[in-house]
Amino acid sequence: GAGVSQTPSNKVTEKGKYVELRCDPISGHTALYWYRQSLGQGPEFLIYFQGTGAADDSGLPNDRFFAVRPEGSVSTLKIQRTERGDSAVYLCASSSTGGPLYEQYFGPGTRLTVT
Amino acid sequence: AQSVTQLGSHVSVSEGALVLLRCNYSSSVPPYLFWYVQYPNQGLQLLLKYTTGATLVKGINGFEAEFKKSETSFHLTKPSAHMSDAAEYFCAVSYGYNQGGKLIFGQGTELSVKP
């Protein structure tokens, strides 16, 4: 079956612009996670959705970052007024439901470059 | 703060040699423990996990890891390295349902396998 997909695979934008990154989770998975992986680092948690609601957004670095999941499937991570420090690979993962006992399946990521 | 430390950002072994990748976590509460592998241009893939019960866990591709509470460690081993094992390996922890299963990752260890 289809895995987690993310679009675009690469995004180059200018400092100050707005970007949207999309995640399509595995069908039927109610839990969805966003992580950010900077060069040479491990993934860093951003936000967790259970269904349509953001159950934990403690990892969002500031109010320029926002994510939605209006119908409980596809999610969009939105970054306003991008900065060069936002350059990273943004990873999405889904699991059948939330909790540490359920495997998270990761997408290939979106590489964001802010020039 | 909860953290994960992976000793050695880069490990190189010969084909057929033992693989040992080190992971320590900081917490007074035993976490759930994971090892993920990331091949070039691919998403993170779960190798193995420890939740409860037997402290020696076996994963895919011949890898195993042992949870040692007294040492707060979860080192990853494989008796005989194969060229196809060359990849980036991440240790991660999760602290239970009240955190929704979000993962805290170490910085990663890049494994090289020499012929």
Side-chain angles (χ1 to χ4, degrees), chain A:
Chain A
V4 177
S5 62
Q6 293 186 245
T7 54
S9 55
N10 280 283
K11 176 70 176 178
V12 180
T13 191
E14 293 179 349
K15 179 176 177 295
K17 299 291 188 183
Y18 167 83
V19 297
E20 290 189 351
L21 311 179
R22 176 187 169 108
C23 172
D24 281 83
I26 293 172
S27 178
H29 279 192
T30 62
L32 186 146
Y33 303 81
W34 283 98
Y35 296 86
R36 177 170 71 173
Q37 186 174 15
S38 300
L39 193 62
Q41 304 293 318
E44 177 187 21
F45 169 79
L46 295 176
I47 187 169
Y48 154 58
F49 286 90
Q50 180 58 47
T52 60
D56 182 356
D57 64 358
S58 62
L60 294 177
N62 51 60
D63 61 5
R64 295 186 298 105
F65 288 76
F66 189 71
V68 296
R69 196 185 184 200
E71 297 180 356
S73 57
V74 171
S75 177
T76 305
L77 178 65
K78 308 181 181 194
I79 310 175
Q80 298 178 322
R81 304 183 304 280
T82 51
E83 299 177 356
R84 291 194 180 88
D86 299 335
S87 296
V89 176
Y90 289 80
L91 300 172
C92 177
S94 72
S95 63
S96 57
T97 189
L101 297 182
Y102 301 93
E103 180 176 349
Q104 293 183 31
Y105 296 84
F106 283 81
T110 292
R111 182 177 299 278
L112 175 67
T113 303
V114 182
T115 62

Side-chain angles (χ1 to χ4, degrees), chain B residues 82-93:
Chain B
H82 191 273
M83 296 296 291
S84 62
D85 295 326
E88 186 97 27
Y89 291 80
F90 293 95
C91 181
V93 302

Side-chain angles (χ1 to χ4, degrees), chain A residues 31 33 35 37 40-45 48 56 58-59 91 97-109 111, chain B residues 32 34 36 38 41-46 49 51 88 90 94-108:
Chain A
Y33 303 81
Y35 296 86
Q37 186 174 15
Q41 304 293 318
E44 177 187 21
F45 169 79
Y48 154 58
D56 182 356
S58 62
L91 300 172
T97 189
L101 297 182
Y102 301 93
E103 180 176 349
Q104 293 183 31
Y105 296 84
F106 283 81
R111 182 177 299 278
Chain B
Y32 299 90
F34 307 80
Y36 280 82
Q38 187 173 37
N41 301 316
Q42 294 188 29
L44 287 159
Q45 180 182 7
L46 181 66
K49 66 180 180 183
T51 54
E88 186 97 27
F90 293 95
S94 179
Y95 286 95
Y97 283 89
N98 62 343
Q99 295 195 21
K102 73 180 183 184
L103 296 169
I104 300 169
F105 286 88
Q107 290 191 311

